C-alpha cells in the first residue's frame, strides 16, 4: 500500500511562520489541488482504509492506477430544493474528495444529475413548464446550496439527457449478451440471466418485489426484472432508439455515465445507503452484463439523516431543505453538524444539535480571530526563537492524530473533537501574554516595588515564545480546517458577524432590540435591581444570546439556548 500512497501535502506545519489571516481559500484551494510534497521530518499519513459495502469490511485503499483515483457519486433528481439528507451525502463525499487530494491523488470526481424522471415530468406538468426548464432551475439551486456548504465542484457533472447515446449503446450490449429483452418498446433487464444479481446487497431475490420505481409489470419474465428503456408516453419527453421512441430507466444512466467518464473499472462508487438496493445493485448488474470486466474497487455508502428515528425523505414529507436550515444557521454550522457523525452512521437532526454545531464553529472562529488580532501586532517583528516545546508537541500530536483518524475510514467525529485542545492552548497563550504585558506595564510604573513578587508571578515564557506558539497553533488549526472544508473565503470577522446575525434571527431579535435590552440590564444593575438584570440575562440566554460583562462594557455572543 505504501507505494500507492503519495506523500502528503500536509506538512507545512513545522515551518510555522504564519501570522496573516489565511482564511481566504485561494491559498487553501491551491494547497488542496496541488500535487503533494513531503516536508522533511513530517510523518506520512497511515495507509488509507475505507469501508467497502461489497465486502462489508474496511480495506486498504489501493487505486487502480497509482496516484490517480476515479470516483463516481450518484447525484440528485432535480425537481425540488434539496434536503439535508442530500447534504449529508455530498458533504461526506466532499470530505473524501478533499482528503484524497490532500494525500496527493489526482482525483476525477463525477457526480451526475438525473434530469429526466417520473417525478420531474409530473412536477413540470403541474407547473405548466418544460422538463428542461424545471430540472435546470433546480440544478442551479442545488449547486448554490452545495457551494454554500463548501463542497468543491466535481470534475464532471453530467446530465442524463446529455448521454442518451451512451445509454442506448450500453443497452444494446446488454441485449446482445442475452441479459435483457424487449417488450412492446420497453426493455427489461433479466435477473434470471444474471446469476450475480444481489451480490452487493446480499438480499434474497423476492419475486414479489419489483427492482425499480414502478409497479410490477405482468409482461416481465420475472417480477424483479427492471426497466432499462421505457417506451414513449404521450406528453413525455422521448428519444429515438432501436426499440422505438422512449426514455431511459432509472438505473441505466449511472452505468452509462460512469463508464463514459471513468471507464469500466474505477475506484470508488458512492451514495446514500438507500441506494444499495435497488439502484446500485441494478447498476452493478447492468455494467457487468454489458461488459463482464466492469468493476468498482470500493463501494461506499453514507447513513441517513433521521427525524424522530425515521429517515428524512420527501416521500413522507418529513424533511428540511438545505435552504431552510441555512436561513437560520450558518452553512458552516450545518457542515460541522453533518461531519460530527461518522459518514456511515445515521445522524439525528434537531435544533439542539445544530445549535451545538453553531456554537462550536463560533468558538473556533472567535479563537482564531483573537489569535490573528494579537499576531497582527507583532507581524513586523523578526522573531527567531523556536516554537516552545509544549506547543510544538501539541501540534505534532494533533497532526499525527488527524492523519490517523482521517486515514481510518474518515473518522471526522474524532477529528473535530481533536481541535479543542489546540483551541484551549491558543486561549491559554493569549491570556498569559495579556498577563505578561500587564505585568510589564506595572513594572514600568512601580519599578522598585514588589520586585520579588513580580518575578514569581511572571510567566516563564517570554512574549516571543507566546507569539511563536500562537503562530504554530493557529496555522495547524487553519490548515486542517481547510482540508475538511471548514474554512471559508471570507475573513474571520465576517464569518463571526454572519454567525451572530443568524443567532439574532433564531432569537427573533434585531441588533437594535438586543442593545435596548442590554441597556435596560445595565440600568437595572446600576440601580441594584439585580433580580431584573438577572431575568434579562436569563431570558436572552434562553434565546441563544449570552451576555458578558467586560471592563469596556457588556458584549454578547451566540450560545446554546439554556
Amino acid at each position: 500500500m505504501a507505494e500507492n500512497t503519495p506523500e502528503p501535502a500536509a506538512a507545512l506545519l513545522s515551518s510555522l511562520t504564519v501570522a496573516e489571516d489565511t482564511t481566504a481559500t485561494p491559498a487553501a484551494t491551491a494547497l488542496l489541488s496541488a500535487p503533494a510534497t513531503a516536508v522533511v521530518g513530517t510523518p506520512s499519513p497511515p495507509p488509507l482504509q475505507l469501508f467497502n459495502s461489497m465486502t462489508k469490511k474496511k480495506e486498504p485503499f489501493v487505486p487502480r492506477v497509482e496516484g490517480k483515483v476515479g470516483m463516481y457519486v450518484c447525484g440528485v433528481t432535480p425537481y425540488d430544493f434539496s434536503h439535508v439528507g442530500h447534504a449529508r451525502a455530498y458533504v461526506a463525499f466532499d470530505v473524501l474528495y478533499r482528503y484524497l487530494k490532500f494525500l496527493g491523488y489526482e482525483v476525477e470526481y463525477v457526480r451526475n444529475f438525473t434530469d429526466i424522471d417520473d417525478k420531474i415530468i409530473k412536477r413540470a406538468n403541474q407547473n405548466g413548464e418544460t422538463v428542461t426548464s424545471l430540472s435546470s432551475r433546480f440544478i442551479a439551486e442545488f449547486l448554490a446550496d452545495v457551494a454554500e456548504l463548501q463542497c468543491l465542484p466535481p470534475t464532471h457533472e453530467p446530465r442524463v439527457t446529455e448521454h442518451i447515446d451512451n445509454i442506448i449503446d450500453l443497452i444494446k450490449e446488454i441485449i446482445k449478451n442475452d441479459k435483457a429483452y424487449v417488450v412492446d418498446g420497453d426493455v427489461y433487464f433479466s435477473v434470471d440471466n444474471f446469476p450475480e444479481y444481489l451480490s452487493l446487497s446480499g438480499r434474497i431475490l423476492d419475486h414479489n418485489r419489483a427492482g425499480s420505481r414502478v409497479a410490477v409489470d405482468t409482461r416481465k419474465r420475472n417480477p424483479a426484472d427492471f426497466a432499462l428503456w421505457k417506451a414513449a408516453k404521450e406528453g413525455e419527453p422521448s428519444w429515438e432508439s432501436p426499440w422505438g421512441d422512449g426514455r431511459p430507466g432509472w438505473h441505466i444512466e449511472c452505468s452509462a455515465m460512469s463508464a463514459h467518464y471513468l471507464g469500466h473499472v474505477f475506484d470508488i462508487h458512492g451514495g446514500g445507503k438507500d441506494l444499495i438496493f435497488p439502484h446500485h445493485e441494478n447498476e452493478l448488474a447492468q455494467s457487468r452484463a454489458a461488459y463482464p470486466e466492469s468493476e468498482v474497487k470500493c463501494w461506499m455508502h453514507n447513513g441517513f439523516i433521521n427525524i424522530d428515528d425515521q429517515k428524512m425523505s420527501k416521500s413522507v414529507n418529513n424533511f428540511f431543505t438545505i435552504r431552510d436550515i441555512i436561513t437560520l444557521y450558518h452553512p458552516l454550522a450545518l457542515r460541522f453538524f453533518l461531519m460530527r457523525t461518522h459518514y456511515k452512521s445515521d445522524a439525528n437532526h434537531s435544533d439542539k444539535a445544530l445549535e451545538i454545531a453553531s456554537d462550536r464553529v463560533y468558538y473556533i472562529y472567535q479563537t482564531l480571530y483573537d489569535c490573528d488580532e494579537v499576531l497582527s501586532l507583532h507581524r513586523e517583528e523578526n522573531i527567531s526563537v523556536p516554537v516552545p516545546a509544549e506547543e510544538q508537541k501539541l501540534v505534532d500530536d494533533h497532526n499525527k492524530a488527524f492523519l490517523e483518524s482521517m486515514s481510518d475510514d474518515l473518522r471526522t467525529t474524532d477529528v473535530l473533537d481533536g481541535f479543542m485542545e489546540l483551541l484551549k492552548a491558543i486561549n491559554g497563550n493569549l491570556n498569559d501574554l495579556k498577563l505578561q504585558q500587564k505585568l510589564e506595564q506595572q513594572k514600568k510604573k512601580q519599578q522598585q516595588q514588589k520586585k520579588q513578587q513580580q518575578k514569581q508571578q511572571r510567566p516563564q515564557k517570554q512574549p516571543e515564545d507566546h507569539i511563536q506558539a500562537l503562530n504554530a497553533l493557529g496555522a495547524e488549526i487553519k490548515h486542517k480546517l481547510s482540508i475538511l472544508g471548514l474554512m471559508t473565503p471570507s475573513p474571520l470577522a465576517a464569518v463571526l458577524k454572519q454567525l451572530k446575525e443568524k443567532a439574532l434571527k433564531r432569537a427573533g431579535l434585531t441588533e437594535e432590540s438586543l442593545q435596548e435590552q442590554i441597556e435596560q440590564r445595565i440600568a437595572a444593575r446600576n440601580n441594584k435591581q439585580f433580580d431584573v438584570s438577572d431575568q434579562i440575562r436569563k431570558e436572552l440566554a434562553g434565546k441563544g444570546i449570552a451576555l458578558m460583562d467586560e471592563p469596556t462594557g457588556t458584549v454578547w455572543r451566540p450560545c446554546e439556548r439554556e
Side-chain angles (χ1 to χ4, degrees):
M1 173 61 199
E3 64 271 17
N4 286 289
T5 306
E7 293 291 336
L12 41 131
L13 315 181
S14 303
S15 52
L16 299 157
T17 56
V18 181
E20 297 183 14
D21 180 0
T22 57
T23 59
T25 56
T29 302
L31 169 68
L32 290 172
S33 59
T37 54
V39 175
V40 176
T42 301
S44 297
L48 178 61
Q49 302 263 337
L50 297 174
F51 187 89
N52 188 343
S53 300
M54 175 66 81
T55 61
K56 312 295 189 291
K57 62 182 181 182
K58 277 192 292 189
E59 298 173 341
F61 175 68
V62 182
R64 186 177 65 88
V65 177
E66 184 174 349
K68 296 185 177 182
V69 176
M71 180 169 76
Y72 188 97
V73 175
C74 290
V76 295
T77 302
Y79 70 98
D80 203 343
F81 290 102
S82 295
H83 60 64
V84 180
H86 296 130
R88 179 82 200 283
Y90 303 120
V91 166
F93 288 102
D94 180 69
V95 170
L96 174 60
Y97 182 37
R98 287 171 174 273
Y99 192 60
L100 288 168
K101 288 167 73 70
F102 162 74
L103 291 175
Y105 290 111
E106 180 185 333
V107 186
E108 191 164 8
Y109 175 19
V110 184
R111 186 184 66 206
N112 73 293
F113 289 108
T114 301
D115 63 337
I116 181 67
D117 178 88
D118 292 340
K119 294 177 181 177
I120 297 176
I121 294 169
K122 181 180 178 181
R123 181 66 60 85
N125 288 338
Q126 289 173 344
N127 292 356
E129 62 180 314
T130 66
V131 165
T132 300
S133 170
L134 179 78
S135 62
S136 295
R137 185 169 76 256
F138 283 113
I139 285 172
E141 299 290 3
F142 169 82
L143 293 174
D145 284 344
V146 292
E148 288 274 19
L149 293 175
Q150 296 286 108
C151 293
L152 296 174
T155 316
H156 308 286
E157 296 186 286
R159 304 186 187 195
V160 173
T161 56
E162 298 168 349
H163 292 81
I164 299 298
D165 289 344
N166 303 110
I167 292 169
I168 290 173
D169 289 343
L170 187 64
I171 295 173
K172 286 179 181 178
E173 287 296 317
I174 298 172
I175 293 173
K176 185 177 77 174
N177 293 338
D178 195 30
K179 300 296 190 296
Y181 55 94
V182 182
V183 181
D184 301 327
D186 292 322
V187 182
Y188 290 103
F189 186 91
S190 176
V191 298
D192 290 332
N193 288 6
F194 189 75
E196 298 176 44
Y197 191 58
L198 301 180
S199 60
L200 176 62
S201 65
R203 286 172 173 262
I204 304 299
L205 188 61
D206 181 354
H207 284 217
N208 295 316
R209 175 169 181 164
S212 67
R213 289 179 172 177
V214 295
V216 174
D217 187 334
T218 56
R219 300 174 302 158
K220 294 180 182 180
R221 297 174 184 174
N222 185 315
D225 292 349
F226 53 91
L228 302 179
W229 187 261
K230 298 180 178 182
K233 295 180 182 178
E234 186 177 351
E236 293 188 357
S238 62
W239 290 262
E240 292 181 358
S241 83
W243 319 287
D245 290 355
R247 60 184 173 90
W250 172 30
H251 314 292
I252 193 68
E253 60 190 58
C254 290
S255 291
M257 289 187 287
S258 63
H260 177 73
Y261 289 97
L262 302 175
H264 298 302
V265 181
F266 59 94
D267 298 296
I268 297 170
H269 196 319
K273 67 180 181 181
D274 54 331
L275 297 183
I276 294 175
F277 184 88
H279 186 51
H280 287 170
E281 191 71 76
N282 293 353
E283 248 192 88
L284 176 62
Q286 295 161 162
S287 298
R288 291 183 63 80
Y291 298 96
E293 70 274 20
S294 296
E295 182 184 7
V296 171
K297 296 293 186 181
C298 182
W299 290 88
M300 296 181 67
H301 295 92
N302 62 273
F304 298 142
I305 296 289
N306 291 336
I307 299 178
D308 297 327
D309 298 319
Q310 185 180 23
K311 174 198 165 190
M312 183 181 289
S313 173
K314 288 181 180 177
S315 61
V316 293
N317 200 35
N318 71 332
F319 67 95
F320 294 97
T321 67
I322 298 170
R323 204 67 57 89
D324 291 336
I325 300 301
I326 63 177
T327 298
L328 294 174
Y329 296 90
H330 196 285
L332 280 177
L334 176 54
R335 185 178 176 99
F336 192 100
F337 160 73
L338 295 169
M339 293 173 61
R340 190 68 185 78
T341 301
H342 185 258
Y343 79 89
K344 280 179 68 267
S345 302
D346 292 349
N348 289 308
H349 174 277
S350 68
D351 289 342
K352 181 69 173 176
L354 284 166
E355 286 173 7
I356 292 171
S358 183
D359 190 62
R360 186 72 66 87
V361 170
Y362 189 90
Y363 175 62
I364 292 170
Y365 270 70
Q366 184 67 62
T367 301
L368 290 175
Y369 176 79
D370 293 342
C371 178
D372 281 2
E373 285 292 287
V374 169
L375 291 175
S376 68
L377 302 175
H378 302 271
R379 194 162 289 154
E380 303 302 322
E381 298 175 11
N382 186 19
I383 298 175
S384 59
V385 301
V387 176
E390 180 183 356
E391 281 77 14
Q392 186 61 58
K393 185 175 187 306
L394 278 176
V395 167
D396 292 343
D397 289 350
H398 182 266
N399 180 51
K400 181 173 182 288
F402 177 92
L403 296 175
E404 288 176 348
S405 294
M406 289 297 290
S407 293
D408 183 15
D409 200 29
L410 310 177
R411 289 193 287 113
T412 53
T413 305
D414 294 340
V415 166
L416 294 179
D417 287 344
F419 286 110
M420 295 308 293
E421 193 170 359
L422 297 187
L423 293 164
K424 290 176 182 176
I426 286 178
N427 283 315
N429 274 277
L430 290 172
N431 290 333
D432 288 348
L433 187 58
K434 287 179 183 177
L435 174 62
Q436 195 168 44
Q437 290 170 342
K438 183 177 180 180
L439 290 172
E440 289 297 324
Q441 291 173 357
Q442 290 175 352
K443 180 181 177 181
K444 290 177 182 178
K445 292 179 181 179
Q446 304 170 350
Q447 187 71 32
Q448 303 303 321
Q449 297 179 13
K450 301 181 181 178
K451 227 174 186 182
Q452 188 60 34
Q453 180 182 356
Q454 287 185 4
K455 184 177 179 181
Q456 293 173 353
Q457 290 178 347
R458 186 180 298 117
Q460 293 181 353
K461 292 177 184 173
Q462 296 302 306
E464 57 267 28
D465 295 319
H466 290 297
I467 298 305
Q468 290 295 72
L470 291 171
N471 264 319
L473 295 165
E476 167 70 358
I477 292 172
K478 288 181 180 180
H479 179 230
K480 295 305 192 292
L481 289 175
S482 293
I483 295 169
L484 297 172
L486 287 169
M487 294 299 288
T488 76
S490 304
L492 297 170
V495 177
L496 290 169
K497 183 174 183 292
Q498 292 160 4
L499 285 159
K500 294 180 83 169
E501 288 170 351
K502 298 290 187 184
L504 286 172
K505 191 165 188 176
R506 294 195 299 274
L509 296 168
T510 63
E511 189 75 52
E512 293 75 18
S513 63
L514 174 59
Q515 191 57 43
E516 287 178 8
Q517 293 192 51
I518 290 174
E519 291 171 1
Q520 291 171 8
R521 179 174 173 272
I522 292 172
R525 284 166 62 86
N526 290 339
N527 293 329
K528 301 191 183 304
Q529 296 174 311
F530 298 115
D531 54 339
V532 175
S533 65
D534 288 345
Q535 184 62 28
I536 293 173
R537 187 209 63 79
K538 185 176 180 180
E539 288 178 358
L540 288 174
K543 295 179 178 180
I545 305 294
L547 300 184
M548 294 162 289
D549 297 313
E550 297 185 354
T552 54
T554 300
V555 297
W556 72 275
R557 56 152 290 173
C559 68
E560 296 174 43
R561 285 180 292 179
E562 293 183 1

